[in-house]
């Protein structure tokens, strides 16, 4: 019996031909972290915003008053989500100059600040509910008026805001300064994050320029502390893991680890990347959920990899940090979509998305499992690729198999289409087995899918294959 999975969850393999032990060529909607040793099915994402959200939201603020505010990236609309999950159009930004889409927002020192192309606006938290009043529209004016990015972060009791190649700030006393730090053009500031006592600045020039930099600045010196150039089309997003920071850079799914001075190649989102197939992580589509970093991977064009909410983490320090596609949006598709913003409110995971001309905000649904969860093994050669083999059976040994749930198998020989297998359950040893004698096998892949019943799903301890 060849053991494919023995409780050591390896997440996504690098390809269907190569990966660490316990990894899968595809792994969709699977929870491999919450109960070490078990493969479980994730809770589903359910659309919470109904038809209220009518634009793509790439910026969200989880406010201290219990509301979260979702900002349109195109038309100036701002939606308020109450703690009870009700969405209301709270305000529409009509700036005095520049476009109305929001490119950055944050809560700072009793106010919510949000940035459009050329203007900074704010509202007191006391006035920020589902009907905004006393808005300070056009509260400040940017110098560079960047048309895509105004990232924000807080450090040393100061709010810092990116604007082209400059950093603006709002002091603790509420004083705006349009330029307190600048970097060399043509670099533009795309994303920022606090790091230790400094801030990290992720830059971007253009989609045709494969050179960018990560800059570390102490917020007071006239120049940066360290800078690391890399050959990528921009730094898209910072992904925080407690005291560690990962970076998604470029458009080919590359993930880097930041060691304090340099970006070190770490992982890659498996896919096929070309000039007509690429994707990225939007700056606001990152969070930390139940101690595990999560991020949304978005299609640029051509669907190079499956899109949705990935995790990059482990149960604890005793386990490997692995990558997996944990959540599929409520539309139940993994192609031609974008994930705009992610926010965590205690145990609530909220995700904004775009699918064609449809938009929404999903919430993790604790009353239902994801109904299309599955894993696909890497290529199984049984030691020798050039020897013809015969499959005897496939077995999944389960920890639980609730009523009306099940485990199904399919096989693919030598890269051909999957063929369904008929399975039987042995409740004495907690095994679901598919017995089928198929010969002519050079390489083999097995797909294991989970049948759920509302909020019940099987949990699997071991997956194995027998060859004759």
């Amino acid at each position: 019996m060849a053991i494919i999975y023995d409780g050591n969850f390896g997440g996504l393999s690098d390809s269907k031909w190569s990966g660490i032990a316990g990894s899968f060529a595809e792994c969709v909607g699977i929870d491999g972290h919450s109960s070490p040793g078990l493969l479980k099915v994730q809770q589903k994402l359910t659309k919470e915003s109904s038809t209220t959200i009518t634009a793509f939201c790439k910026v969200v603020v989880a406010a201290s008053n219990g509301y979260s505010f979702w900002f349109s990236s195109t038309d100036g609309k701002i939606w308020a989500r109450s703690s009870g999950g009700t969405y209301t159009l709270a305000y529409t930004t009509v700036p005095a100059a520049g476009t109305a889409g929001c490119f950055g927002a944050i809560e700072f020192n009793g106010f919510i600040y949000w940035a459009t192309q050329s203007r900074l606006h704010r509202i007191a938290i006391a006035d920020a509910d589902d009907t905004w009043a006393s808005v300070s529209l056009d509260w400040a004016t940017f110098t560079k008026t960047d048309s895509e990015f105004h990232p924000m972060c807080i450090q040393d009791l100061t709010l810092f805001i990116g604007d082209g190649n400059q950093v603006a700030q709002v002091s603790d006393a509420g004083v705006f300064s349009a330029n307190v730090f600048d970097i060399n053009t043509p670099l533009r500031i795309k994303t920022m994050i606090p790091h230790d006592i400094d801030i990290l600045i992720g830059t971007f020039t253009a989609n045709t320029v494969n050179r960018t930099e990560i800059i570390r600045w102490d917020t007071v010196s006239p120049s940066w502390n360290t800078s690391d150039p890399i050959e990528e089309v921009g730094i898209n997003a910072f992904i925080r893991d407690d005291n560690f920071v990962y970076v998604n850079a470029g458009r080919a799914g590359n993930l880097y680890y930041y060691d304090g001075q340099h970006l070190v190649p770490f992982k890659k989102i498996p896919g096929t990347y070309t000039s007509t197939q690429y994707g990225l992580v939007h700056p606001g589509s990152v969070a930390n959920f139940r101690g595990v970093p999560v991020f949304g991977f978005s299609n640029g064009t051509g669907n190079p990899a499956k899109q949705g909410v990935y995790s990059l983490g482990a149960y604890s320090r005793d386990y490997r940090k692995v990558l997996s596609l944990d959540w599929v949006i409520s539309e139940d598709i993994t192609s031609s979509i974008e994930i705009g913003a992610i926010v965590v409110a205690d145990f609530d995971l909220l995700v904004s998305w775009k699918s064609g001309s449809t938009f929404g905000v999903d919430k993790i649904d604790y009353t239902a499992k994801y109904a299309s969860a599955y894993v696909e093994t890497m290529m199984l050669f049984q030691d020798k690729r050039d020897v013809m083999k015969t499959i005897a059976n496939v077995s999944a040994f389960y920890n639980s198999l609730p009523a009306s749930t099940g485990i199904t198998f399919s096989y693919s020989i030598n890269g051909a289409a999957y063929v369904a297998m008929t399975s039987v359950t042995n409740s004495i040893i907690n095994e679901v087995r598919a017995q089928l004698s198929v010969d002519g096998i050079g390489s083999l892949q097995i797909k294991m899918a989970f049948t759920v019943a509302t909020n019940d799903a099987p949990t699997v301890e071991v997956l194995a294959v027998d060859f004759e």
Side-chain angles (χ1 to χ4, degrees):
M1 177 175 285
I3 304 297
I4 301 169
Y5 172 79
D6 63 354
N8 186 14
F9 183 58
L12 279 168
S13 60
D14 298 320
S15 73
K16 64 182 180 179
W17 295 277
S18 180
I20 62 175
S23 62
F24 298 96
E26 292 198 12
C27 181
V28 178
I30 298 297
D31 173 11
H33 295 303
S34 65
S35 298
L38 292 180
L39 290 182
K40 301 168 65 177
V41 176
Q42 286 284 11
Q43 303 299 129
K44 68 177 292 191
L45 292 179
T46 297
K47 188 175 183 181
E48 187 184 51
S49 59
S50 186
T51 58
T52 304
I53 301 288
T54 58
F56 188 34
C57 299
K58 295 167 72 173
V59 175
V60 61
V61 172
S64 58
N65 62 359
Y67 283 85
S68 62
F69 299 106
W70 300 83
F71 296 80
S72 165
S73 61
T74 54
D75 60 12
K77 292 180 179 178
I78 303 169
W79 291 275
R81 177 192 182 271
S82 69
S83 57
T86 300
Y87 289 76
T88 306
L89 178 60
Y91 188 74
T92 300
T93 309
V94 184
T99 57
C102 178
F103 303 139
I106 203 167
E107 180 180 345
F108 171 67
N109 207 21
F111 292 89
I112 292 176
Y113 291 84
W114 73 102
T116 54
Q117 180 181 1
S118 65
R119 296 290 191 269
L120 180 66
H121 322 276
R122 75 176 190 176
I123 183 173
I125 284 291
D127 297 321
D129 50 23
D130 52 5
T131 55
W132 283 21
S134 303
V135 172
S136 295
L137 191 66
D138 303 312
W139 181 76
T141 300
F142 293 115
T143 300
K144 295 296 182 178
T145 66
D146 193 279
S147 61
E148 294 181 278
F149 314 115
H150 284 302
M152 301 184 184
C153 72
I154 299 167
Q155 185 68 281
D156 297 329
L157 302 178
T158 302
L159 168 60
F160 297 97
I161 308 168
D163 176 33
N165 72 313
Q166 296 181 348
V167 177
Q169 78 170 30
V170 179
S171 71
D172 185 41
V175 177
F176 176 79
S177 302
N179 183 18
V180 295
F181 177 71
D182 55 37
I183 62 177
N184 293 331
T185 58
L187 291 173
R188 299 156 60 196
I189 299 170
K190 183 173 184 178
T191 183
M192 298 194 300
I193 190 174
H195 185 65
D196 196 13
I197 61 172
D198 306 322
I199 63 173
L200 300 181
I201 298 172
T203 65
F204 169 81
T205 299
N207 288 335
T208 55
V209 179
N210 278 60
R211 187 172 176 83
T212 191
E213 294 182 31
I214 182 172
I215 293 170
R216 184 169 183 169
W217 177 49
D218 64 11
T219 75
V220 293
S221 299
S223 182
W224 41 261
N225 301 76
T226 62
S227 173
D228 183 29
I230 58 171
E231 307 300 317
E232 292 276 16
V233 178
I235 291 173
N236 304 314
F238 291 113
I239 305 166
R240 186 183 295 283
D241 185 3
D242 192 19
N243 294 321
F244 304 103
V245 173
Y246 304 102
V247 163
N248 169 245
R251 303 197 291 175
N254 290 327
L255 300 171
Y256 293 79
Y257 165 73
Y258 183 65
D259 69 2
Q261 288 188 306
H262 305 100
L263 290 175
V264 181
F266 184 68
K267 285 187 180 292
K268 190 180 185 75
I269 300 168
T272 302
Y273 298 93
T274 69
S275 60
T276 57
Q277 291 178 274
Y278 53 82
L280 76 162
V281 179
H282 288 303
S285 63
V286 296
N288 191 290
F289 184 57
R290 296 186 299 210
V292 175
V294 297
F295 63 88
F297 186 69
S298 295
N299 183 49
T301 190
N303 297 305
K306 283 184 165 55
Q307 298 119 49
V309 180
Y310 286 75
S311 70
L312 176 60
Y315 178 80
S316 71
R317 62 183 293 179
D318 299 322
Y319 297 84
R320 297 172 299 191
K321 294 187 183 297
V322 299
L323 181 69
S324 61
L325 176 52
D326 287 27
W327 292 280
V328 176
I329 66 169
S330 57
E331 299 285 277
D332 199 16
I333 52 177
T334 57
S335 62
S336 300
I337 64 167
E338 292 185 65
I339 307 295
I342 299 175
V343 70
V344 173
D346 195 19
F347 284 94
D348 288 337
L349 178 72
L350 301 166
V351 180
S352 69
W353 51 264
K354 171 186 177 183
S355 175
S357 59
T358 304
F359 312 95
V361 175
D362 288 351
K363 177 186 173 184
I364 192 168
D365 187 344
Y366 286 104
T367 68
K369 301 289 186 185
Y370 176 57
S372 302
Y374 69 92
V375 296
E376 288 183 12
T377 68
M378 290 184 289
M379 289 288 191
L380 307 174
F381 301 131
Q382 189 64 8
D383 299 326
K384 294 184 178 181
R385 175 65 175 85
D386 60 339
V387 175
M388 301 291 277
K389 296 169 282 291
T390 300
I391 186 174
N393 56 67
V394 180
S395 297
F397 296 90
Y398 59 86
N399 173 257
S400 65
L401 190 69
S404 302
T405 70
I407 298 167
T408 61
F409 301 105
S410 303
Y411 68 89
S412 168
I413 297 175
N414 306 330
Y418 275 98
V419 178
M421 306 174 74
T422 300
S423 59
V424 295
T425 300
N426 183 342
S427 59
I428 297 175
I429 60 172
N430 287 6
E431 177 192 25
V432 177
R433 170 177 291 196
Q435 291 180 298
L436 184 65
S437 181
V438 181
D439 55 19
I441 298 174
S443 64
L444 172 72
Q445 280 184 281
I446 298 296
K447 179 177 180 179
M448 179 175 68
F450 293 76
T451 302
V452 308
T454 312
N455 205 29
D456 290 324
T459 60
V460 172
E461 300 172 341
V462 175
L463 176 62
V465 174
D466 278 335
F467 291 94
E468 292 181 355

